[in-house]
Amino acid sequence: MDVEEALEFVDYLALTTTGKHLDSLQKAILRGAWNNQKYKEIAQHHNRSEKYVKEVGFKLWKLLSVALEDEEVCKANFREKFENWRFSNISCFGKDYIQIGSVSAETLHSLKISQPEPQDKDRFNEKTSNSEPKVHLDLADAPEPNLFYNRTSELTTLENWILGRTRLITILGLSGIGKTALTLQLISQIQHKFDYIIWRSLRNAPPLASLETDLIKFLSQQQETNPPNPPLSRGGEEIQPLSPRRGEEIQPLSPPLSKGGLGGVINYLRSHRCLIILDDVQTIFSSQQLAGNYQPGYENYGAFFKQIAESSHNSCLILLSWEKPREIAALEGENRPCKSLQLNGLGAEAQEIFREKGLAEPEKWSELIDLYRGNPLWLNIIATMIQDLFSGSVSEFLSYDTLFLGDLESLLHQQCDRLTASEQQAMGWLASTPEPADISKIPENLQISRAELLNVMQSLGRRSLVETVQQNGRSHFTIAPVIREYITNKK
């Protein structure tokens, strides 16, 4: 393979992953990597700063790593990987579905690379003779793949849950913690386990009926002449559809029957192995109420989640949310098909953010990570501020008594604005307490009963706004420095 063939293929990957062709700078970075050029040389030839070229390059390597399901593609190994690499089952993160079977680098030149026309979607789902069973993907609502930082432990946990037939998974965490990036990476690793994968955002709070109609429309697109059968019954007992052996198809046991609503969704989940991702779930919850309470008219989402968790099928629903739905806690358990993953911040992996931003004094980076709790979005915002205001000097930034928030303030406002009056009181108390607080010792100025305080602390935990610390065998509670600063500034 020569550099032009590599460029042609990477352009195809970029198009199917992001919906956009490579731009001239991205092509220059790939050519430069192939020819062992330094970023500085590439920047000079294109009248760009070296820092900017590095940022574009870093995003490009991350995109390729995700699309090729490779642990890491970087500038140093790009040529070697593309000269020796064999690939299959390319991930698709755009609006078109794609399936590419096993193709060697030596035969890559035989591919005709062209932008898919909308009416040609089906031809990209065709299998080659050596391919895995095709997967139908609709990730139109998914954000473009962003930088992904090492989450090996979390990915392993999620994959084990899914392989263990967990039906409902909730991934929880503050805005920017990496829920979306983690889930996109998960999809690239497990997509071959499913027949259908669909990603939908609830950011505009669609009524449940609209969501169900949308899901059924996608799940039925390849089955319109043969929709899934409703469950048969025998003396009041449901007979579940047989799970086909690998390479074997189970024929319908009764005439085709189309059914809408939740029953229709469940039938499709039983007939095929489906992965459904619902993002921005917090938008269907009410503000100024304890966490996980639905807005009026959206209570039926609770029944939807509950039925998916309790019904017998081999599919999986993943919820991404700032808050945990209230009914989830009662459904969870070690040996139950409903589980939650609380996504915490990055550790040493977050140093890659500072490296890409060109910050100085690596010995100070761990302190910065701890202050901002390893939240990738927060760290990116703060790293940009340090570069803009302090020429990349972390020690100068840390020398100030006040913890800078900058653009973080608007992000924190979105989450803290949802709190009840009692939750705001409790947060004010925790913000004024330098040490982790014992909730058995309520201060006199906190006008909350003991029973109410327990509900409030549970709600704040479900919002990922409080941290639990064990001291002398008892649970104490505190809040992150960034949140403490925000609450203090608002008083």
Side-chain angles (χ1 to χ4, degrees), residues 6 159 291 348 375 391:
E159 189 166 355
N375 185 304
S391 300

Side-chain angles (χ1 to χ4, degrees), residues 330-374:
L331 298 170
E332 292 175 320
E334 183 64 30
N335 298 312
R336 303 190 69 183
C338 178
K339 291 181 172 59
S340 293
L341 177 68
Q342 179 66 51
L343 195 58
N344 298 314
L346 300 170
E349 303 90 356
Q351 294 184 11
E352 187 65 30
I353 297 171
F354 304 146
R355 192 171 292 112
E356 285 303 310
K357 293 289 185 180
L359 298 192
E361 303 156 311
E363 68 278 4
K364 298 285 186 181
W365 291 356
S366 59
E367 185 177 352
L368 206 56
I369 292 169
D370 185 56
L371 280 173
Y372 292 90
R373 288 301 190 260

